[in-house]
Amino acid sequence: MSVETLGYSEHRQVWHRFYADFAFRPSTDRFQWPGISEPSGSVTWSLTALDDDPEYRLDRLVSVVRRGLTACADELYALDWHHDAYRFPTAAKDWPLSPFPDGDYYIYLTPDFRLGTFGHPWEYTLCVFGEALVTAISAELTEVLGEPLRRSA
């Protein structure tokens, strides 16, 4: 059980599907945000609360998201816009990337695209989607980040 870097063909296939399924529109222009068509039932939090106590809150954010994804999925993709993408079992000791979008779009996604997270670096938000994942982590994320910025119907 280890992290695998996606090969060229799979990398292109996964990103192509992500662009299509989520209407991904990368942009630093705030009029183009949120960057994806947020799936029905998704919840999006602002990450500005991390500025108050970045080390503690960031560690909690990562822990909450990782626990939730581990409880809801056996395998994930980790996508980093214009960089390597990975496939890995949630049981892996070391995960690639973080749910926190550190200067680029960071995405965790199940291979069937049913649940995951979308970190937007310029809007400074984290969107959580998929009913099981939203249910598993919403309360704790709200403790860490404050009330959600928006919810998709």
Side-chain angles (χ1 to χ4, degrees), residues 64-125:
V64 167
V65 170
R66 185 172 175 164
R67 267 195 326 273
L69 287 167
T70 299
C72 296
D74 296 324
E75 184 177 53
L76 294 172
Y77 287 123
L79 309 178
D80 179 357
W81 193 54
H82 287 301
H83 298 282
D84 286 337
Y86 308 91
R87 179 181 337 153
F88 64 99
T90 56
K93 182 178 189 256
D94 296 313
W95 287 26
L97 308 179
S98 165
F100 177 77
D102 191 13
D104 227 332
Y105 297 98
Y106 284 177
I107 301 142
Y108 285 133
L109 191 62
T110 54
D112 61 5
F113 287 43
R114 70 183 164 80
L115 62 82
T117 63
F118 174 78
H120 193 303
W122 298 289
E123 188 184 27
Y124 208 48
T125 56

Side-chain angles (χ1 to χ4, degrees), residues 38-67:
E38 295 174 331
S40 178
S42 66
V43 181
T44 301
W45 285 266
S46 170
L47 297 171
T48 57
L50 296 176
D51 298 340
D52 295 337
D53 189 354
E55 192 170 316
Y56 172 73
R57 288 184 190 269
L58 180 58
D59 287 347
R60 284 215 41 219
L61 167 72
V62 170
S63 176
V64 167
V65 170
R66 185 172 175 164
R67 267 195 326 273

Side-chain angles (χ1 to χ4, degrees), residues 12-22 111-114:
R12 285 182 44 100
Q13 180 182 7
V14 170
W15 271 109
H16 179 75
R17 181 174 173 197
F18 183 76
Y19 269 84
D21 288 6
F22 290 85
D112 61 5
F113 287 43
R114 70 183 164 80

